[in-house]
Amino acid sequence: MNNENSRAMYERALTLMPGGVNSPVRSFSAVDMDPVFIQHGKGATITDVDGNSYLDYVLSWGPMILGHADPDVIRALEKALQNGTSFGAPTELENMLASMIVDNVSSVERIRMVNSGTEAVMTALRLARAFTGRSKILKFSGNYHGHSDGLLVQAGSGIMTQGIPGSPGVPESVVENTITAPYNDENAVRKLFSEQGHEIAAVIAEPVAGNMGVVPMTMEFAQTLREVTEEYESLLILDEVMTGFRVAFEGAQYLYNVKPDLTCYSKIIGGGLPVGAFGGRFDVMKLMAPKGPVYQAGTLSGNPLAMTAGYHTLHKLLNNGHIYQQLDRQTMKMERGLRTLIQEYDVKATINRVGSMLSIFFTDQPVTDYESASKSDTDMYGQFFREMLERGIYLPPSQFESWFLSVCHDDQVIDQTLEAARDSFEAIFK
Ligand code: KE4
């Protein structure tokens, strides 16, 4: 595969930006190769600066559920551009995207737009602490909620760990109120709450974890989180940055029939432009400035172009009800095809899937939490990634990420991907 332009651009990037990238996972360091630079995308395909085309299963880490350069979204953006790009003043477009969420997600009575998932989660936690007057936050090993200081704690190692900084530059004083427990371990949560429940402002969880690879929450765990937070008057925050409008229009909270107090969003609600949001109970959200005392602000929050891309993406999802059945069917076809290959080549691998989120773990044990996910053979994943890239399939460059499918991943795309997977298994395991 000719990579000379990508290589030249990467060398230049390394003289400009740390690691040559603006977000670490894009560096391909987890799969032991240099990144390719993308020139354009259309539908399920992205093309790099050397003219190599790939079927894309990253989809900008989730947002591009309609596929790249959806004609309706692009047309709306082209029209919006003529009006200018930012005013720092309210626009009707904010009402349009906000109502798309408030009118369709029953737990969201009020919503505030921000510019990233990190910002949404960071502010939701501040709000929860203000509302409850408490300081402690409970999160789960293997869940990622953005890079705000209080959440950069070492992943729990199967026990309830008091916050230990997960990154240099994060003072212990900032993470001492962050408790980590094992994901899907309702006994651990009940025990923790019996000991510290009255000090816990909120529990935050990915309702379907995507940041250790795909690990679905069990129904029992989801119900336990809702029960204990109600019993101890803590808030339940669901981080639906990845699952919101991905696994169902109303998100994972619909699949689990759990009503959180606050929900965090990003990715799909921006349609590929920078949008994050947090929303939920009116009595909680009313504490937010300017009417309430909890401060948060953002120059480009509610940006008209970002609102346009998000609104038209959600509008298309809402008005094509069959889309989620189609995404589920296509991803199930992918799952079945991979399972057949795992069996045929006797590979130590397992697959987790929820809707159009899927991960292949190179371990023969079930993956139900951070500990079991960590047992995956990341070198083997790297080998599989490189073989698939050579064959025109662009997978997430890390074992601990989710594959995403779009409405453009039709039968032909799935068949081509499974053929490439067969050839890759042949190359690795024969
Ligand atoms: P951002 O600040 O990156 O917009 O969102 C942070 C975030 C919060 N919550 C969840 C559940 C998330 O998945 C994310 C970000 N996801 C990663 C991919 N696993 C973004 C990719 C990257 O870091 O470059």
Side-chain angles (χ1 to χ4, degrees):
M1 187 167 75
N2 169 29
N3 271 353
E4 63 182 88
N5 291 333
S6 275
R7 198 172 310 116
M9 288 181 191
Y10 188 50
E11 274 161 31
R12 174 75 177 129
L14 287 167
T15 68
L16 300 165
M17 295 162 280
V21 291
N22 287 304
S23 199
V25 69
R26 304 179 195 171
S27 67
F28 279 24
S29 52
V31 289
D32 200 21
M33 66 178 283
D34 290 345
V36 293
F37 279 55
I38 302 305
Q39 206 278 329
H40 66 267
K42 182 67 185 157
T45 302
I46 49 175
T47 302
D48 71 17
V49 292
D50 293 290
N52 304 304
S53 287
Y54 311 93
L55 298 178
D56 182 14
Y57 287 87
V58 174
L59 295 180
S60 181
W61 304 98
M64 311 319 294
I65 193 167
L66 295 179
H68 292 288
D70 173 82
D72 295 318
V73 174
I74 296 294
R75 202 172 13 257
L77 279 171
E78 285 168 342
K79 191 159 169 274
L81 267 170
Q82 307 311 316
N83 296 334
T85 54
S86 180
F87 313 109
T91 66
E92 186 188 13
L93 288 160
E94 291 156 90
N95 291 2
M96 289 164 70
L97 180 56
S99 59
M100 186 60 83
I101 301 169
V102 170
D103 295 349
N104 290 289
V105 183
S106 62
S107 70
V108 180
E109 296 172 339
R110 292 290 186 280
I111 194 164
R112 167 65 57 88
M113 304 293 173
V114 294
N115 296 284
S116 69
T118 293
E119 217 185 326
V121 170
M122 178 177 78
T123 318
L125 294 179
R126 180 183 310 141
L127 177 57
R129 285 172 160 148
F131 181 78
T132 60
R134 301 173 184 175
S135 301
K136 290 188 175 176
I137 297 290
L138 171 60
K139 74 173 291 286
F140 299 98
S141 314
N143 278 202
Y144 173 68
H145 304 291
H147 63 86
S148 59
D149 280 355
L151 290 167
L152 286 183
V153 290
Q154 276 180 24
S157 54
I159 50 168
M160 278 81 83
T161 45
Q162 215 66 16
I164 305 163
S167 162
V170 175
E172 293 207 0
S173 59
V174 167
V175 294
E176 66 189 11
N177 285 310
T178 308
I179 311 164
T180 305
Y183 192 69
N184 277 332
D185 184 341
E186 51 269 24
N187 295 332
V189 170
R190 288 193 186 285
K191 180 173 185 301
L192 193 71
F193 264 85
S194 65
E195 292 159 356
Q196 310 181 45
H198 293 300
E199 301 172 68
I200 295 176
V203 172
I204 184 164
E206 292 182 56
V208 174
N211 288 289
M212 46 179 150
V214 175
V215 179
M217 199 181 268
T218 63
M219 275 301 187
E220 297 75 16
F221 190 65
Q223 278 146 19
T224 300
L225 295 185
R226 186 62 284 181
E227 278 165 25
V228 294
T229 47
E230 264 168 9
E231 184 183 346
Y232 287 87
E233 296 182 319
S234 305
L235 296 190
L236 175 58
I237 303 174
L238 290 186
D239 180 344
E240 296 229 44
V241 162
M242 200 181 273
T243 56
F245 305 96
R246 164 61 62 183
V247 296
F249 190 75
E250 306 85 349
Q253 58 193 266
Y254 172 75
L255 299 183
Y256 285 93
N257 192 24
V258 167
K259 191 165 185 174
D261 301 299
L262 292 174
T263 302
C264 299
Y265 292 106
S266 186
K267 297 185 191 282
I268 290 175
I269 70 164
L273 270 69
V275 180
F278 61 98
R281 281 168 45 186
F282 170 63
D283 63 329
V284 178
M285 290 295 290
K286 73 180 184 185
L287 292 182
M288 290 306 299
K291 289 265 192 278
V294 180
Y295 196 69
Q296 173 275 334
T299 304
L300 292 174
S301 297
N303 170 272
L305 300 182
M307 294 295 105
T308 298
Y311 173 78
H312 286 275
T313 298
L314 297 196
H315 185 268
K316 196 158 184 178
L317 291 170
L318 182 61
N319 291 288
N320 291 272
H322 69 280
I323 273 184
Y324 288 98
Q325 289 89 326
Q326 176 195 329
L327 287 166
D328 197 53
R329 187 177 57 248
Q330 292 304 96
T331 317
M332 193 188 301
K333 184 173 180 193
M334 171 69 77
E335 176 186 2
R336 285 181 176 155
L338 291 171
R339 286 185 187 284
T340 302
L341 293 172
I342 287 167
Q343 208 157 25
E344 197 174 316
Y345 286 87
D346 193 21
V347 177
K348 282 189 171 32
T350 187
I351 291 178
N352 285 351
R353 178 180 76 85
V354 178
S356 56
M357 291 173 63
L358 172 146
S359 289
I360 180 169
F361 296 92
F362 285 98
T363 170
D364 56 0
Q365 298 303 308
V367 175
T368 58
D369 58 13
Y370 177 76
E371 212 172 337
S372 48
S374 305
K375 294 195 169 80
S376 304
D377 182 336
T378 52
D379 291 338
M380 188 164 291
Y381 181 84
Q383 229 184 317
F384 181 60
F385 173 88
R386 294 188 295 274
E387 292 289 343
M388 290 289 267
L389 194 73
E390 278 290 332
R391 293 172 174 80
I393 312 298
Y394 191 91
L395 300 180
S398 160
Q399 165 69 86
F400 304 115
E401 293 290 354
S402 172
W403 301 20
F404 296 104
L405 277 72
S406 78
V407 300
C408 303
H409 285 66
D410 58 19
D411 285 348
Q412 197 263 325
V413 168
I414 305 295
D415 293 345
Q416 191 177 328
T417 307
L418 289 172
E419 193 182 326
R422 172 178 292 282
D423 294 346
S424 301
F425 274 30
E426 190 75 26
I428 301 170
F429 301 112
K430 266 293 180 216

